Amino acid sequence: MKLPIRSKLAGILSVAVMAGGLAAGLSSGAPASANGGNSTIRCETGGVGTGGAVEFNLEARDGYISFPDGNTVYTWSYALAGAPYLQFPGPTLCVDEGDLVRVNLTNPPHGDNLSGGIPADFTSILFPGQTGVTATGGTAGLLTQEVDAGVPGDMVTYEFTASAPGTYLYESGTDQAVQVQMGLFGGLVVYPSAGRGFVYDGVNFDTENEFLLIFHEIDPGLHVGIELNSLAGLTGDAVLDGYDPVSRHNRYWTINGRSFPDVIAPNDTPVLPTQPYGGLVQINAGDPDGAYIQLPALVRYANAGLDNHPFHPHGNSLRIIAQDARPFPDEIEAYTETVAAGQTYDLLAEWNDVEAWQGTGAPIGVTLPALNNTMFKGGVTFYSGDADLGQQQQLPLDVTTFTTCGEYYFPWHSHALQEIQNFDEGFGGMLTLWRVDPPKEFDADAGQWLSPTACR
Amino acid sequence: MAQPDGVQVMTMSSNTRTDGTMKTKTTSSIRSRIAALVATSLLASVTVAAATVGTAAAATDIWVCAKPGSASVADPATGGTSTMPVAFTGFVEVASDLDCATAIPQLGDPTPIRLTQGVTYNLNVVNQTGFPINLTAVGLTGAPDLTGIADTATDSYEVTPAQPGTYLYESSLDPRHALLGLQGVIVVDPAVPDGTAHGNLVSDYSTEQVVVISEIDLSFNNAVDPFVEDLRNFKPDLYLLNGQTHTAGSAIPPIVADSGERVLLRYVNASSDNSTMTVLGLRQIIVAFDGEIFDGSGAAGELPRNESNIFLTAGQTADVIVTVDGATGDQIAIYNRNLRTSATDDNGEQLLMIEVGAVVAPVAPDVYLSLNNTTRSLAGVVVRDEDVALWDGTTISVFFDGESHGLIDVAPANIADIDAVHVDPVSGDVWFSLRQDFDKPTGAFAAEWAAVPDVRLQENDIFKFDNAAGTFSVWLDGSAIGLSDGLNRHDINGVSVDPVSGVTTFSVNGSIITADGVPYMTGSGVTFGARNEDVLRWIPVSGAADPSGPGQFNVLFDGTDFGLGVENLDAVVISATDVMFSLTTEYPNIPTPEFDRDDLIACRGHQSPPLGSITDTCTAPLALQFDADVLHPTNAGQVDAYSLG
Amino acid sequence: MMSEPKSQYGRRSFLRNGAIASLAAGSGVAAGRGLISSAAAAGGPGFLGQATPLVDVVDPLVIPSIRLMTTDGHISAPGRRFSGPQPHPIYSFGFRDVDDQRLHAAGGELNKNPGDLVTKYRGKVIATSPTIVVLEGEEMAIVLTNLGFEGRPDLDDGHSLHWHGFRNATAVFDGVPETSVAVPPGRDLPYFYDLKTADEPGQTVGSAGTYMYHCHFEDVEHVQMGMTGVIFVEPRDMYFLPDGITPKPRVKIAYNDNSAGVDSSFAREFAILTNEIDPAPHDNLEALQEFVWSDYNPKYWTLNGRCYPDTVIPQITPIEQKAPVGEFLDMPLVPVTDDEKAEAEMYYQRNSSLIQVREGERVLLRLANLGYEIHSLDLVGVGEMRVIAHDASLLIGKAGDNDLTYTSRRIELGPGEARDAIFTVPAYDDLNAEVDTLAARMSPAKARKFNRYLLKSRAGDRLHNNGEVDPDDGPSYAKVSDTHGGMVTEIWVYPTLLDAPGLGQDGLPDQDSVNETFPTLVVPVGQV
C-alpha cells in the first residue's frame, strides 16, 4: 500500500533545511538549547520574585497549531506572559531542588482573531506530584483557585517548594477533560541539589544529551466545534456546546506538540511558530574499545494525554530509573514502556558499538545485496547507504539521504501503531528518531573530545 | 507459611493448592460433597505443610445473593440535578439465605466481604438472577467453576485465604455477567489483627476506603435482554466510583480523615478498561498489587513504590497508603487521570474527595526502654537493667521483669543487662539482646528457656519472649550469621524486628572491621565494613520461618552520613517511615546540646541511598522523638535500649 | 586488499575476523568487507521453529541461518471460515518458513532462489509466524525473501524484518525501510545478528530472553495484517558450562545463573503472542480499497493468531519438520469429523496456545503483545506466577545481584512489551478430572484425564468473536466456547505418571520444544 509520504516528508524537511533549521539542528552545530549540545529540552528560566522565589508569569492563550498533513487545529495552551502567540505545549519550567516556585496565571481578554485569551469562564493550573501547593487570588474551583474570565486582569498565584527532584507536568485543573485535551499543559523539571548534570543525586548523564518528550493526542473534531462556537462569539459553557467527550476519536498524536516528521525539526523552527519544541534524540555512540567514556543520555517521558501510550525505541533497550519523579530502588531495563495518563518516567539511553561497526573493513557477517536489488521508501531515506557507522556510500540516483556523516537513525515511537499516523498518512504521529553519531574523537586543536567533524 | 503466632494456614488434604487456596466446589449437594472430600483425602498423594491445628477447622458460612437491582445515578448531563435509572444484576452479602428476598444489591458496592487469612469459609451463593452464574475471585476460589450454579439453585465455594489483601470477585461464567454488575469486593485481613493491611509495618493504617472503579454502557444495561446485545457496540458512557458519579451538583461520599492520618485506599478496577488513579497533592505508597506484597520483605524484593499516578489494568486491585496533609476542611481529590466523562462541565465522573477533619497532633506512641547497667527508682517504680519499662506519657511501669524469668544477677560472671529491645505492643512479645554473656536460667525457670539450645546466652544473640506461651527462643543466632570473628563476639546493642518478614534490623557495639582492616561482612555481593554508628539489616531467604537462616546483609542507615564517627548507636527503632536511634554520647554536630545521650533521635522519612546515590537522606532535619529528661534530669547515659508502641 | 579490520577482542570475534578474511582472500570475493559469500550465508543448515535451536555447524565458516518468506494468504476465525456455507477467511500477510529444511547438497529448499519458491509458497501465508528459537553466543542470519502477493499482484510493497528489542542494533539490520532498506518482491536480504553473551566487550547483559519480530514496511498495516512472531534466545548456560565452550546436557532454564539467585528453571515453556484483528482493513485491502488507520476498531482478539476456541487446537507441524520424539496425529487430506474440520481450519495458523502440564511442574510463560491495545491476562485458579523478566531483561537490578522479581495473578502487556513468568502447577484432583478426548483419538490406551484451568483476558467486552459466540464453530474439546470467544486459552493439568500397574495411565510425555502439545497435528504429505 503506497502512502503519499514522499512529497510530504521531503516538503517539510526541505523547507526546514532551506530555513537552515533542520540541517543545523541535525548536524547539531549550534547548541539548539540552553542545555547545550544535542539537547532539545529548552528550560524557560524564571525571574527572581519576592522571597527569592523563582517566578514565572503564564497566560492561557488560544490559537492554531499545524500538522504535517497540512491540517491546522484550534488549540488552547499556556504561554509566557506577553508572548506574540500561544506555544504548544506550554513553556518547560526548570527549577532546582529546594526552590520556592511561584507561577502567576492570567487569562487575557479573548480577542476575536483567536489569538488572545481562552473563551472559557474559568481556567487554572495544577502541579500533580508536588506537595504543599498553595493558590491565592481568583475564585475557588473544584480542585484549586481559578482565574475568572469575567474579572478583567484576574490573576491566581500558585506557590510550592520544589522539594523532590524529577520530571513533572503542570496542567489545567478546570474542566480537565476539555481543557487538558485542548492543550493546557506543560513540562516541569526539578534538578537535584547535586546540580543540573544530575537527574537524581548520584545519577549523572551527558548534559549535551538531555531530552524531554511530552505525549498527547488530539481529536480535531472536538477542537473544530469549540473553534466555531468561539468564532460565533460564544464564551463560557456555551463555547462547549456540542462537545461530546464520549465520542472522542483521536486523529493526531504528538510529541512536544508536533507530529512526525515535524518532531525532528529543531527548536524554534520558523515553520512552526506556535510549536517551538523539537523531539529528535541525538547522541554519540559509546566505544567499548575507545578511551572516552560516553555518559548516557537522559530521556524524560511525560504523558499529558488522556490515554495510555506504550513507547518503544529501536536500537537498544533503555535503563528505567524513576517513575513519577521517584527513583526506583534499582534499575529496570526495558525495550517498551507503557506510560499511563499523567505518568512521567526518567530513562538513561546509550548505544554501544559492541560489534565495531564503525571503522573500515569490519565484517558484517553476511553479503548485502547491491542497493538496486533493495528498495527505498518514498525516494528519501535516513540511511547512509553503508552498514558501517560513520561511512557514507553512493545511493541510487533517485534517492536523497538526510545523513551527513554516516550516522545511524532508529525510530522511537508509540507501539500502538495506529498512533503513528497523521490522520491517514503513515510514518507520522507519535514518532521521533534516535540519531546515533559515531563515537567522539579527541580533537587535538580543540583539546577535547568532540563528534567527528562531518557530524558537527 | 505459618505465622509465628498465627492460625495454621494449610489443611491436610489432597485438594489444597500450593498457594493455599482450597479446591473449588462441585455440582453435587453439600452433603455428598463433604463425603467426597473425606474420600479424596484418603487418596491424598500430595501432603502440604503439617497442620498445626488438627484436621480441617469447621468452615464459617458466608451468604451472598445474586439478584437483579436498579440504581438511580446522578445524571452528569444535567449537572446532577436529576438522576437516571441503571438496571443491573449484582451480588449482595446477607446474614443467611432467608434474607435474599429482601436484600437490595448496590451498583459498584464498595462494602467488602471481610475474611481472615487462614480461616476456612464456605462462600454460599444463592442464584436469583434468572440465568446460571458462578463466583470467581482470582487468587481465592481455586480452579474455575466452568459449570456454574443453575438459576434458583444455591451452592458454595470453600475458600481458605492464604494472603491478606483486596480481591475482586465476579461471575465469570459468561463475560456479560461482569458487564451487568455481577461483581463485588473481598477484603482479607491478616491472621493477627494488628491495624495493618498485610501484617507489615508499611501497611499500617488508621482509616480505610474501598474505591471501586467501574463503567456502564447504559444501552447495554438497560436493554430488554442484555444477552442478545451486540458486544461490538458496547461502549461505556457512564463512569462510576463506588457506583456513583461526581457531577457539578452531586458528590460521591467523601473519605473523612484527619491531617496526619495514614489512609489505606483499596483500589478495585472492576471495569473492562485500564484506569490511572491519582491523588492531587499527596504521594501514594503502593504496599500491594493484587495482594502481592511490595514491602521489600520478599527476597530483597522491591521496596514500596512511591507514585503519583497508579496504573490499574482491567480487574487489578491495589492497596495504597496516603498520609493526609492539609488544613481542616481541605478537600483532597482522588480521580481517574484518564479523565473519562460523559459531560463537559466538570472534571470527569470518577472523582471523590478526602475531607480533612481535625488537624490532630499525632499521639506520642508508648515508649519501652531498658536501663544501662544500673537500677533506678523512676517516679517510685524500681526498674532494673534486666527489665523492660513502659512509659505511656504519664506513668512508668515494668513491662517485662527480667528476674521473674530467671535473669538474676550473680556477680561477677552473671550480670544480666538488656541492651537492645523490640516490643510488639499487640502481642506483647519481647525481642532482646544482653550486654554480656549470661548463664541460661535453670531450675524453676528451665522450662521457660527449654527452646534455647546454648547453656550460655551470648551477647550477639537476639532472644524472643513469646508473651502468650511464656517461653523464650533464639530469634537470631549472631554466630550463625557471622557476627563473630572467632576471637570475640560482636555485642548487638540495638534491635528492631519485623515478625512477618523475619527481617532483623540491628546495630552492634564496636566495629566489625577485622584487625587487618579487611571489611569483614559480605552481603548482597558487596563487602563493607560496618561500624557501631551504622544500622544493618539481616534479610533471611526463608523469612520468619528461619530468621537465622541463610540470607544477606545490607546497610539500612550509614551513621557517617549524619556526622557520626566515634559515637556508638545503642538503640534502634524502625517505623513505617522513620529510622530512630539513641547514642552513647551527646550528639556531636549540633553546638547546643539539643540531643542528650539518652534521647531518641528521629530521621523522618528516611531513605536508604536510592539508585547510585551515596548518602542516606531524611525529608527533615533530625528531630527529637523522646526526651529522656522526663525520667531523669541529668545527661547520665542511663538508657541503652528503646522500642516504640 | 583488505585494510586492517578494527581490532576486536573476545573469542568469537577473532575467530570470525581471522577465518573470514582468509576465505574472502582465498575465493576472490569482492574486496572490502571480507564477507561470507552469499551462497554460504543463505545455505547454512538451520532448523526453524520449535524443533531444535540453531546450532553451530562443524565448519565455523558457515553461520547458521533461516529463510523467512513474506507473502499473503488467508487465516480462519470463528464466523470467517475456509469451509462451510459462506466461506470468507480473512485476507492476511505474514512470514512463513520453508517446509523442506534439508541441506543444499540434498536439494532442500533452504538454498533455492526466490523464483523457485514463489510457485510453491506464494499466497500460503502462516500467521502468526513461526516461533524462532536461537542460542545466546551464536552468530546467525535470517534471510528474508519477498515472494510478492498473490491476492494483490498490483502491490509492489516491500517488506522488512525488525527484531523488536535487539540491543545495540545497526541501522541496516534494524529492518526499518525509512532508516535503511526494504526487500522488494522477488528479492532476498540477509539480516545478521550476533547474539552477544554478557562477558563480551561493551555488554552489560547477555542476549537471552523473549523478543518479537515483525515487518516494519508501512508497519501499522503490515503488523495488523499478520506479519508478527515471537523469537527468543536460549541462555548459554542451557547447553554449555560456565566457560561458554564446553557442552553439557541441556538444562531447561530461561536465563543464565545469576548472583541474585533468581531461579529460571522450567519443565515446560509456552510462547504466546497477543493481538487483535480489525477485519475492515483486511477486507478493504483484498478489495483494493484504502483504510484510514486512525479508524482502527478491532473485532477479534487472538492468542498466537487464533481466537478461542481455536486457541486450544494442538500445535501443527509440516511432516518435514516432525520432531523425532513426541505424540502425533495425522491430519487427514479430507477432514471427516467436526473436530478434523475445525483443526483443518487452523492449517495456516500453526501456533497453538493450549497449555498441557503435569502437577507440580514449573511452567514458563513467554508472553508478548504486538496488538495496538493494552491486554491483561488472568491466570485463573492456578495460584500466582512469579514474573522474572521484563522485555528480555532479568529483574536483577543494575549490579545483577538484587532480586526484583515479583508474584502476580495477572500479567499486563502494553503493545510491544514482553514478560517472562513462571508458575507452579497445582496438585491434580481426580474427583473433578475430565477425560482427554483429544489424546483418546491417538489410541484408546491414552485415555488420560486432566483438570481444566483458564488463562484469559479480563476485558469482558472483548471476550467474543466479532460480536458472536458460537459453540458449534470450533473443536469439541474446548469447554467454555458456549460463552467465551477471543483471548482465552485453557490449562490442562495431568497427574504425575503413576507407575502403579493396572491404572493404565499413560501420562503426559515430557515437552521437548516450545508450545509442543500432545498430540501435535501433522500436515498431510504434499500440503504446504
Side-chain angles (χ1 to χ4, degrees):
Chain A
M1 248 335 263
K2 212 174 248 334
L3 288 170
I5 188 74
R6 174 189 176 98
S7 56
K8 186 65 234 173
L9 190 61
I12 178 70
L13 295 177
S14 53
V15 165
V17 169
M18 192 173 54
L22 178 62
L26 272 187
S27 64
S28 80
S33 78
N35 294 59
N38 310 319
S39 303
T40 52
I41 179 172
R42 212 264 300 297
C43 283
E44 306 306 344
T45 50
V48 179
T50 55
V54 180
E55 192 156 342
F56 300 93
N57 296 310
L58 299 183
E59 287 174 342
R61 297 289 296 275
D62 69 348
Y64 290 89
I65 60 175
S66 73
F67 286 92
D69 67 345
N71 197 355
T72 57
V73 173
Y74 175 65
T75 301
W76 298 349
S77 183
Y78 299 109
L80 292 173
Y85 21 70
L86 87 165
Q87 67 161 77
F88 177 69
T92 303
L93 312 180
C94 296
V95 295
D96 297 299
E97 184 176 2
D99 278 354
L100 172 61
V101 182
R102 179 175 302 124
V103 177
N104 305 314
L105 175 66
T106 55
N107 181 13
H110 172 54
D112 50 14
N113 59 6
L114 297 191
S115 177
I118 61 171
D121 285 346
F122 298 98
T123 190
S124 59
I125 301 182
L126 298 182
F127 297 89
Q130 303 300 339
T131 51
V133 180
T134 63
T136 52
T139 55
L142 178 68
L143 301 180
T144 183
Q145 294 296 113
E146 296 177 335
V147 175
D148 181 348
V151 175
D154 197 14
M155 180 173 84
V156 175
T157 297
Y158 302 94
E159 278 189 15
F160 60 92
T161 302
S163 56
T167 306
Y168 300 88
L169 281 167
Y170 63 92
E171 59 198 28
S172 169
T174 310
D175 295 346
Q176 283 193 301
V178 173
Q179 297 199 3
V180 173
Q181 155 64 195
M182 286 299 288
L184 282 164
F185 59 84
L188 166 65
V189 171
V190 180
Y191 287 96
S193 46
R196 296 208 166 185
F198 294 81
V199 54
Y200 297 99
D201 286 343
V203 183
N204 61 351
F205 59 89
D206 185 341
T207 53
E208 289 192 357
N209 302 332
E210 181 179 1
F211 308 95
L212 170 63
L213 306 179
I214 302 179
F215 311 138
H216 187 251
E217 68 285 321
I218 284 180
D219 173 0
L222 297 178
H223 291 236
V224 163
I226 293 181
E227 176 188 11
L228 296 178
N229 288 342
S230 181
L231 285 173
L234 300 177
T235 59
D237 288 352
V239 86
L240 303 179
D241 288 353
Y243 186 100
D244 173 14
V246 175
S247 68
R248 183 163 62 92
H249 189 131
N250 301 320
R251 298 294 187 181
Y252 296 104
W253 292 267
T254 63
I255 298 175
N256 290 345
R258 302 176 181 178
S259 292
F260 189 86
D262 297 353
V263 174
I264 59 172
N267 288 357
D268 302 321
T269 172
V271 181
L272 302 165
T274 59
Q275 294 149 287
Y277 296 152
L280 174 74
V281 178
Q282 181 175 349
I283 66 168
N284 286 92
D287 183 352
D289 307 329
Y292 178 73
I293 304 298
Q294 174 62 49
L295 284 173
L298 171 64
V299 179
R300 303 171 186 268
Y301 290 164
N303 182 0
L306 273 55
D307 301 334
N308 312 314
H309 299 291
F311 216 60
H312 165 66
H314 285 232
N316 205 9
S317 288
L318 299 181
R319 297 156 52 189
I320 306 176
I321 57 173
Q323 185 198 331
D324 290 348
R326 288 301 181 276
F328 290 152
D330 205 331
E331 277 181 23
I332 292 180
E333 196 191 83
Y335 48 67
T336 302
E337 186 54 41
T338 298
V339 188
Q343 286 186 339
T344 71
Y345 278 86
D346 297 318
L347 310 102
L348 298 177
E350 54 198 351
W351 189 94
N352 292 312
D353 184 15
V354 293
E355 200 58 29
W357 296 117
Q358 34 98 11
T360 56
I364 58 166
V366 290
T367 303
L368 284 179
L371 289 183
N372 50 24
N373 276 329
T374 64
M375 182 179 197
F376 289 92
K377 194 125 183 351
V380 287
T381 183
F382 289 90
Y383 179 49
S384 66
D386 191 302
D388 284 340
L389 181 61
Q391 306 295 319
Q392 295 275 139
Q393 193 179 129
Q394 177 58 39
L395 289 167
L397 293 182
D398 62 349
V399 176
T400 51
T401 178
F402 293 106
T403 59
T404 54
C405 59
E407 69 272 25
Y408 286 161
Y409 285 96
F410 300 105
W412 196 326
H413 60 93
S414 166
H415 217 275
L417 297 178
Q418 85 276 18
E419 295 183 352
I420 51 175
Q421 304 298 306
N422 296 327
F423 209 109
D424 62 353
E425 276 180 17
F427 211 63
M430 193 178 281
L431 159 74
T432 183
L433 290 182
W434 184 4
R435 168 177 165 162
V436 178
D437 290 344
K440 287 189 173 178
E441 300 160 351
F442 189 73
D443 187 312
D445 45 30
Q448 56 178 333
W449 293 82
L450 294 175
S451 247
T453 45
C455 291
R456 278 182 235 148
Chain B
M1 199 94 163
Q3 311 290 340
D5 42 21
V7 173
Q8 58 81 20
V9 175
M10 300 289 177
T11 53
M12 288 268 298
S13 85
S14 74
N15 47 20
T16 298
R17 303 271 161 271
T18 47
D19 69 348
T21 53
M22 291 292 289
K23 215 234 15 72
T24 181
K25 74 164 203 54
T26 62
T27 51
S28 53
S29 72
I30 294 182
R31 260 184 314 284
S32 62
R33 192 171 55 71
I34 290 173
L37 268 180
V38 170
T40 51
S41 62
L42 298 180
L43 298 176
S45 59
V46 175
T47 53
V48 192
T52 53
V53 174
T55 58
T60 311
D61 276 321
I62 302 272
W63 289 92
V64 177
C65 313
K67 58 188 288 189
S70 172
S72 66
V73 178
D75 182 1
T78 66
T81 54
S82 65
T83 64
M84 53 183 170
V86 178
F88 71 99
T89 308
F91 287 111
V92 53
E93 184 181 9
V94 288
S96 87
D97 56 352
L98 305 178
D99 302 326
C100 278
T102 57
I104 299 171
Q106 300 296 323
L107 180 65
D109 190 352
T111 25
I113 296 176
R114 214 112 202 163
L115 308 181
T116 301
Q117 175 189 16
V119 175
T120 299
Y121 297 91
N122 281 334
L123 290 184
N124 305 304
V125 180
V126 179
N127 181 5
Q128 297 178 345
T129 61
F131 43 82
I133 63 166
N134 71 10
L135 188 142
T136 305
V138 176
L140 280 181
T141 49
D145 166 18
L146 304 180
T147 47
I149 308 168
D151 183 28
T152 72
T154 297
D155 231 308
S156 86
Y157 298 86
E158 198 175 271
V159 162
T160 305
Q163 205 143 4
T166 308
Y167 297 81
L168 169 69
Y169 74 89
E170 51 194 13
S171 169
S172 65
L173 201 62
D174 182 325
R176 294 169 190 253
H177 293 174
L179 305 179
L180 275 176
L182 271 168
Q183 301 175 309
V185 182
I186 291 177
V187 166
V188 178
D189 290 314
V192 177
D194 55 5
T196 72
H198 294 271
N200 54 17
L201 277 175
V202 292
S203 67
D204 176 61
Y205 67 91
S206 52
T207 303
E208 79 173 313
Q209 172 68 49
V210 173
V211 180
V212 178
I213 304 141
S214 60
E215 293 169 355
I216 294 285
D217 177 340
L218 287 168
S219 57
F220 175 80
N221 269 57
N222 292 335
V224 173
D225 180 2
F227 287 90
V228 297
E229 288 292 304
D230 186 343
L231 280 181
R232 284 175 297 185
N233 307 330
F234 183 85
K235 186 169 174 42
D237 50 11
L238 189 64
Y239 308 98
L240 309 172
L241 285 187
N242 294 346
Q244 304 183 46
T245 59
H246 166 84
T247 68
S250 71
I252 294 170
I255 305 164
V256 179
D258 296 337
S259 180
E261 260 195 271
R262 288 166 63 87
V263 175
L264 169 67
L265 299 176
R266 294 181 185 272
Y267 290 126
V268 177
N269 184 2
S271 76
S272 299
D273 207 340
N274 311 302
S275 289
T276 310
M277 297 308 290
T278 194
V279 177
L280 193 61
L282 300 178
R283 297 299 299 194
Q284 301 192 72
I285 310 295
I286 307 172
V287 292
F289 262 124
D290 287 333
E292 310 306 334
I293 300 178
F294 262 63
D295 67 355
S297 66
E302 275 191 277
L303 295 176
R305 299 278 290 272
N306 176 333
E307 296 183 12
S308 283
N309 307 289
I310 301 194
F311 178 63
L312 297 168
T313 62
Q316 188 160 20
T317 72
D319 295 343
V320 159
I321 297 278
V322 288
T323 303
V324 176
D325 177 16
T328 305
D330 280 0
Q331 298 241 331
I332 300 169
I334 304 173
Y335 59 96
N336 182 352
R337 179 54 182 66
N338 290 113
L339 297 175
R340 298 193 176 106
T341 176
S342 55
T344 57
D345 59 359
D346 66 40
N347 280 57
E349 279 100 58
Q350 294 175 313
L351 179 144
L352 84 152
M353 291 293 185
I354 299 177
E355 277 178 10
V356 180
V359 181
V360 175
V363 173
D366 291 346
V367 178
Y368 297 88
L369 56 91
S370 184
L371 295 184
N372 175 21
N373 194 21
T374 177
T375 299
R376 290 286 318 287
S377 165
L378 301 172
V381 176
V382 174
V383 178
R384 307 176 61 83
D385 55 21
E386 68 272 11
D387 301 340
V388 176
L390 164 60
W391 168 261
D392 61 8
T394 49
T395 60
I396 189 98
S397 61
V398 175
F399 179 78
F400 170 85
D401 182 349
E403 287 199 340
S404 70
H405 296 289
L407 297 175
I408 300 161
D409 291 354
V410 177
N414 274 314
I415 301 297
D417 174 7
I418 290 180
D419 69 349
V421 72
H422 173 83
V423 174
D424 180 338
V426 174
S427 61
D429 295 346
V430 179
W431 285 262
F432 61 93
S433 183
L434 297 175
R435 182 158 55 80
Q436 56 195 38
D437 294 0
F438 186 85
D439 285 348
K440 183 171 83 169
T442 54
F445 306 103
E448 296 179 46
W449 292 86
V452 176
D454 311 336
V455 289
R456 186 87 172 147
L457 308 181
Q458 293 172 344
E459 68 215 294
N460 65 355
D461 293 340
I462 296 174
F463 304 100
K464 176 186 174 187
F465 172 66
D466 184 321
N467 188 32
T471 57
F472 291 85
S473 62
V474 177
W475 170 265
L476 187 72
D477 178 353
S479 309
I481 65 165
L483 285 189
S484 74
D485 55 12
L487 299 176
N488 48 55
R489 291 180 291 277
H490 301 293
D491 169 32
I492 291 181
N493 62 358
V495 70
S496 180
V497 163
D498 181 343
V500 172
S501 65
V503 174
T504 305
T505 308
F506 61 96
S507 186
V508 288
N509 192 357
S511 80
I512 310 184
I513 290 185
T514 56
D516 50 19
V518 171
Y520 178 72
M521 200 107 22
T522 59
S524 66
V526 173
T527 56
F528 55 84
R531 290 203 299 262
N532 54 19
E533 70 276 12
D534 300 330
V535 176
L536 308 176
R537 288 191 345 156
W538 175 256
I539 300 171
V541 172
S542 45
D546 187 3
S548 284
Q552 60 187 13
F553 283 106
N554 70 34
V555 178
L556 175 68
F557 175 90
D558 183 348
T560 46
D561 295 345
F562 298 86
L564 302 177
V566 295
E567 297 73 21
N568 177 5
L569 259 67
D570 68 352
V572 168
V573 181
I574 305 297
S575 81
T577 54
D578 308 340
V579 170
M580 290 163 267
F581 56 90
S582 182
L583 295 176
T584 54
T585 61
E586 281 185 311
Y587 190 79
N589 279 47
I590 298 183
T592 58
E594 187 178 344
F595 299 131
D596 294 339
R597 287 175 57 180
D598 293 331
D599 290 345
L600 190 58
I601 304 164
C603 165
R604 300 280 183 235
H606 168 264
Q607 280 243 331
S608 299
L611 198 65
S613 169
I614 43 175
T615 55
D616 279 35
T617 54
C618 322
T619 54
L622 293 180
L624 186 61
Q625 174 70 39
F626 173 69
D627 186 347
D629 290 350
V630 168
L631 302 175
H632 51 76
T634 60
N635 187 3
Q638 298 184 349
V639 177
D640 63 2
Y642 276 109
S643 185
L644 289 183
Chain C
M1 171 174 72
M2 273 250 320
S3 63
E4 179 49 39
K6 182 157 181 53
S7 62
Q8 265 202 327
Y9 311 105
R11 162 181 47 74
R12 284 180 303 101
S13 327
F14 170 75
L15 185 72
R16 190 181 63 205
N17 287 348
I20 292 167
S22 61
L23 169 78
S27 68
V29 168
R33 290 287 180 293
L35 303 178
I36 302 175
S37 65
S38 64
F47 295 97
L48 177 77
Q50 63 280 6
T52 55
L54 283 168
V55 290
D56 258 336
V57 293
V58 169
D59 179 353
L61 299 185
V62 176
I63 57 173
S65 69
I66 311 164
R67 180 191 292 278
L68 282 182
M69 303 175 293
T70 64
T71 185
D72 61 347
H74 292 85
I75 64 171
S76 173
R80 298 286 298 262
R81 294 303 188 190
F82 284 97
S83 57
Q86 295 151 327
H88 188 198
I90 299 176
Y91 183 60
S92 297
F93 299 165
F95 304 99
R96 67 158 298 150
D97 55 326
V98 298
D99 287 345
D100 186 346
Q101 302 288 334
R102 278 168 296 164
L103 291 178
H104 168 74
E109 287 168 336
L110 260 189
N111 194 41
K112 283 197 163 69
N113 62 56
D116 300 344
L117 303 173
V118 164
T119 46
K120 181 175 181 185
Y121 290 108
R122 179 152 69 175
K124 300 208 168 40
V125 75
I126 288 182
T128 51
S129 312
T131 303
I132 300 176
V133 181
V134 289
L135 181 59
E136 184 183 44
E138 297 303 316
E139 291 156 17
M140 54 164 282
I142 299 181
V143 177
L144 193 66
T145 302
N146 185 346
L147 302 184
F149 297 135
E150 184 178 66
R152 286 291 303 275
D154 61 309
L155 287 183
D156 61 355
D157 278 21
H159 292 290
S160 72
L161 180 68
H162 170 55
W163 179 321
H164 182 101
F166 192 82
R167 292 188 179 85
N168 297 315
T170 170
V172 74
F173 297 129
D174 186 41
V176 178
E178 289 80 1
T179 61
S180 60
V181 294
V183 186
R187 289 295 186 278
D188 272 341
L189 179 66
Y191 288 80
F192 171 76
Y193 303 104
D194 183 352
L195 306 174
K196 295 278 183 178
T197 53
D199 56 5
E200 299 194 53
Q203 292 291 120
T204 49
V205 291
S207 307
T210 303
Y211 304 84
M212 295 155 257
Y213 66 94
H214 58 85
C215 179
H216 220 284
F217 188 95
E218 292 163 10
D219 50 357
V220 64
E221 173 182 295
H222 288 210
V223 168
Q224 165 57 205
M225 290 301 285
M227 303 187 77
T228 58
V230 172
I231 182 166
F232 65 86
V233 182
E234 292 181 324
R236 199 75 187 167
D237 294 354
M238 178 181 263
Y239 294 99
F240 294 91
L241 294 178
D243 66 12
I245 296 179
T246 321
K248 69 177 182 186
R250 184 186 188 208
V251 172
K252 287 186 176 180
I253 49 175
Y255 289 86
N256 291 311
D257 303 335
N258 53 81
S259 59
V262 172
D263 174 9
S264 67
S265 63
F266 59 87
R268 296 172 197 268
E269 61 177 332
F270 298 88
I272 296 181
L273 187 66
T274 61
N275 212 324
E276 319 95 26
I277 295 178
D278 180 351
H282 296 256
D283 299 341
N284 284 14
L285 259 175
E286 190 168 29
L288 289 88
Q289 301 296 317
E290 289 267 344
F291 179 72
V292 175
W293 281 97
S294 49
D295 287 337
Y296 179 70
N297 184 10
K299 302 288 193 306
Y300 296 90
W301 288 268
T302 64
L303 294 176
N304 282 344
R306 301 179 183 176
C307 305
Y308 186 81
D310 302 336
T311 50
V312 296
I313 290 176
Q315 192 77 359
I316 296 173
T317 183
I319 198 158
E320 295 90 346
Q321 291 177 24
K322 190 174 165 185
V325 177
E327 292 182 338
F328 297 95
L329 199 58
D330 290 329
M331 300 173 84
L333 203 55
V334 179
V336 176
T337 69
D338 286 346
D339 279 350
E340 284 170 351
K341 287 175 182 154
E343 286 151 10
E345 289 286 337
M346 285 301 114
Y347 179 63
Y348 292 116
Q349 292 144 278
R350 295 180 174 174
N351 288 325
S352 172
S353 299
L354 176 60
I355 298 179
Q356 295 169 303
V357 291
R358 256 194 249 123
E359 61 180 329
E361 283 180 336
R362 284 167 62 88
V363 176
L364 169 66
L365 295 179
R366 295 178 182 272
L367 303 176
N369 178 12
L370 274 178
Y372 301 164
E373 293 180 340
I374 294 171
H375 297 298
S376 121
L377 293 178
D378 276 14
L379 194 58
V380 182
V382 172
E384 66 250 359
M385 7 179 190
R386 177 163 285 277
V387 178
I388 59 170
H390 281 201
D391 293 351
S393 174
L394 197 57
L395 294 172
I396 51 176
K398 180 178 180 184
D401 60 0
N402 189 2
D403 176 356
L404 297 176
T405 64
Y406 57 92
T407 55
S408 176
R409 289 185 291 282
R410 109 181 352 90
I411 295 271
E412 166 253 326
L413 291 163
E417 289 183 346
R419 298 287 184 266
D420 294 330
I422 292 179
F423 67 87
T424 302
V425 180
Y428 170 74
D429 163 28
D430 194 54
L431 181 69
N432 283 295
E434 303 170 54
V435 173
D436 185 346
T437 54
L438 186 58
R441 280 164 54 191
M442 284 189 286
S443 80
K446 293 192 185 294
R448 44 191 182 232
K449 293 179 17 181
F450 62 82
N451 300 133
R452 203 186 295 261
Y453 295 84
L454 297 178
L455 174 67
K456 72 181 187 71
S457 164
R458 177 47 208 39
D461 59 349
R462 294 174 169 81
L463 291 171
H464 59 84
N465 299 315
N466 199 11
E468 290 163 0
V469 168
D470 178 358
D472 306 329
D473 186 351
S476 63
Y477 36 82
K479 177 80 178 214
V480 288
S481 55
D482 53 351
T483 52
H484 285 72
M487 212 176 272
V488 179
T489 187
E490 296 183 5
I491 302 172
W492 296 354
V493 173
Y494 294 80
T496 308
L497 189 61
L498 300 181
D499 300 334
L503 276 178
Q505 284 278 15
D506 188 343
L508 186 71
D510 289 334
Q511 187 194 55
D512 183 52
S513 59
V514 65
N515 288 82
E516 182 177 11
T517 54
F518 305 95
T520 291
L521 301 179
V522 182
V523 172
V525 177
Q527 289 293 318
V528 171

